[in-house]
Amino acid sequence: MAKLSPINKTDFPMWQGADAVPDAVYLDSAATAQKPQAVIDALVHYYTRQNANVHRGVYTLAEQATEAYENARQTVADFIHAEDTANIIFTRGTTESLNWIAQSWGGTYIQAGDEIIITIMEHHSNLVPWQQLALRTGAKLRYVDIDDQGLLDMTAYRAMLSARTKIVAVTQVSNVLGTINPIQEIGQLAHAAGAILVVDGAQSAPHMPVDVQALGADFFAFSGHKMLGPTGIGVLYGKMALLEAMPPIEFGGEMISKVEKFQTTWADIPWRFEGGTPNIAGAIGLAAAIRYLQAIGLDKIRDHERALTAYALDQLKAIPGLIIYGPQDAAQRGGVIAFTLNGVHPHDLATVLDTQQVAVRAGHHCAQPLMQRLGVVATARASFYLYNGQADVDRLVAAVNEAKEFFQQ
Ligand code: PMP
């Protein structure tokens, strides 16, 4: 097999320069991704040459900042194939996006006796907001289970749907199992039951082409920092009819049309949902990240990660005592591999791997109900991006083997 090289590593300052550790292996992109120079440059350019508040000033600099911020919205809209820029709301990240849907749409339309369907593989960000909404309103929260492969039990999902179902909220790619869920089918079934579909795109948008309209998503949430962009910026996409029916939940400057002493009218969508000074630099940095990803091509990134994941699955499977969670077939999963080593706590494993300069995550990955379902308290997790290659997997495998010897002595 030809060696799988990274798509690009040289654009990432993390591995360049005199004080860099060029052979450090970073396998935690599911938590957050490294940043290419182009993103850092965009942030520096904004702060050094364009810094002004948006939507307020009449002077040139403020107009330039506003244009850059609104152009970023256009870049995001194109990236996920949204109908229009008005469908794109900038948030702090996936967590905030999902909380806003639960609080605003959910808080307005969910009543006692309604049902909210999520899955057992959800990240806490797509679980706790629905759980709290259910507790607050008297709605029922239901979980779709997984099979032994870590694939969603679609038969159970079908059986769960009814006229009582109001929301189906599901992750497109699991941050633990790696499972890629059949969103289109899930959405069609949800819509046939009269429910809306909320998609957690935190682990999909960075790694594969996403078309929110083709997916049938009513809401779609993702984070900039997992896709080479800055922290503190994310996106909430919503269908216009739903956004129009949603009350804003953060009040203040920027989001109003007219304020009188005892009443206020809202600004147009999307600005009515963006109260206060937004993360201007974050939006501009996210747009730079998107342009970087688009120049490579999301198809190419997906193909690369699939090949790397297939290789890693093969190599890891050969280690006695190592258990891999999630689908065996790389075509059914994103570039995320959770694993445990018999007799070794995942935290100890990750600590020993760190001594070999291999960074993997260990813990419950913000998915405690899934850990319980899998019968573990924690796992180690390696996750890939375009700057990883076969050499990184080889270093991971060598380090796991060394850890195994270390703990068995
Ligand atoms: N959903 C999934 C599937 C995730 O992997 C994450 C991040 N680990 C989140 C939601 C939350 O993203 P953020 O912390 O950027 O809000």
Side-chain angles (χ1 to χ4, degrees):
M1 183 174 137
K3 209 163 170 70
L4 272 165
S5 304
I7 292 179
N8 190 308
K9 202 165 173 177
T10 51
D11 288 344
F12 292 79
M14 176 60 72
W15 293 285
Q16 313 300 325
D19 56 346
V21 183
D23 58 351
V25 176
Y26 185 72
L27 297 176
D28 197 19
S29 294
T32 202
Q34 298 302 334
K35 318 303 174 198
Q37 190 63 47
V39 168
I40 298 163
D41 288 347
L43 295 174
V44 171
H45 180 70
Y46 167 71
Y47 280 126
T48 54
R49 291 285 166 265
Q50 289 180 315
N51 184 56
N53 210 331
V54 291
H55 302 144
R56 287 199 268 241
V58 290
Y59 51 93
T60 307
L61 201 57
E63 280 170 2
Q64 284 171 352
T66 303
E67 196 182 325
Y69 180 68
E70 292 303 328
N71 283 346
R73 201 188 302 276
Q74 182 71 58
T75 303
V76 171
D78 294 343
F79 180 62
I80 58 168
H81 301 275
E83 295 87 333
D84 191 79
T85 49
N87 300 87
I88 304 298
I89 299 159
F90 284 120
T91 65
R92 275 198 302 126
T94 310
T95 303
E96 186 169 85
S97 300
L98 294 166
N99 273 279
W100 281 9
I101 310 166
Q103 282 174 36
S104 177
W105 197 90
T108 308
Y109 299 106
I110 294 299
Q111 297 174 353
D114 289 344
E115 294 189 357
I116 301 164
I117 297 181
I118 63 171
T119 83
I120 197 67
M121 69 172 83
E122 296 312 313
H123 186 282
H124 294 163
S125 294
N126 198 31
L127 188 159
V128 184
W130 307 118
Q131 177 195 70
Q132 294 302 307
L133 176 65
L135 288 171
R136 210 161 54 238
T137 58
K140 185 172 176 187
L141 182 63
R142 305 190 68 176
Y143 287 85
V144 182
D145 200 8
I146 48 173
D147 65 15
D148 292 343
Q149 279 269 308
L151 298 170
L152 268 193
D153 182 347
M154 290 297 284
T155 309
Y157 170 56
R158 277 196 181 81
M160 218 175 263
L161 285 162
S162 77
R164 289 185 300 278
T165 315
K166 292 295 180 302
I167 297 173
V168 174
V170 61
T171 192
Q172 189 169 9
V173 175
S174 161
N175 67 314
V176 177
L177 303 166
T179 311
I180 300 173
N181 288 316
I183 297 296
Q184 251 177 335
E185 189 185 352
I186 292 168
Q188 279 161 7
L189 291 162
H191 290 146
I196 63 161
L197 175 69
V198 177
V199 180
D200 175 349
Q203 298 294 344
S204 60
H207 301 283
M208 58 183 64
V210 165
D211 181 331
V212 287
Q213 295 189 72
L215 286 175
D218 294 300
F219 290 107
F220 188 92
F222 61 101
S223 301
H225 69 96
K226 292 182 198 285
M227 48 189 287
L228 314 181
T231 50
I233 186 80
V235 173
L236 168 58
Y237 158 87
K239 286 229 179 305
M240 191 43 67
L242 293 164
L243 294 179
E244 278 167 351
M246 256 170 68
I249 53 166
E250 273 184 10
F251 306 110
E254 307 257 356
M255 53 77 66
I256 54 91
S257 166
K258 186 169 185 210
V259 180
E260 295 169 74
K261 273 167 77 180
F262 299 106
Q263 62 182 6
T264 298
T265 50
W266 311 133
D268 288 340
I269 294 169
W271 301 287
R272 77 171 59 154
F273 298 108
E274 295 179 0
T277 300
N279 184 351
I280 307 164
I284 290 169
L286 172 58
I290 290 174
R291 285 194 298 275
Y292 185 91
L293 292 170
Q294 285 172 325
I296 294 170
L298 271 293
D299 278 318
K300 186 171 169 184
I301 293 169
R302 168 68 191 139
D303 288 348
H304 175 71
E305 291 178 14
R306 186 155 97 177
L308 204 54
T309 303
Y311 177 73
L313 287 172
D314 275 351
Q315 299 298 306
L316 290 170
K317 257 186 248 169
I319 301 175
L322 189 133
I323 301 163
I324 296 171
Y325 302 89
Q328 298 299 308
D329 181 356
Q332 291 176 310
R333 55 151 87 218
V336 175
I337 303 179
F339 57 94
T340 51
L341 190 57
N342 277 341
V344 182
H345 194 283
H347 282 126
D348 295 336
L349 179 57
T351 305
V352 173
L353 295 193
D354 186 49
T355 64
Q356 308 292 313
Q357 279 168 342
V358 175
V360 299
R361 180 147 294 239
H364 54 63
H365 315 294
C366 299
Q368 287 180 345
L370 176 61
M371 294 291 116
Q372 207 175 3
R373 169 66 179 83
L374 297 173
V376 294
V377 285
T379 76
R381 180 187 72 184
S383 53
F384 309 122
Y385 214 172
L386 55 95
Y387 37 68
N388 295 118
Q390 191 172 323
D392 293 332
V393 175
D394 292 341
R395 287 271 303 280
L396 168 70
V397 171
V400 171
N401 276 319
E402 275 194 38
K404 195 165 155 11
E405 274 178 34
F406 175 81
F407 284 109
Q408 280 170 0
Q409 274 169 8

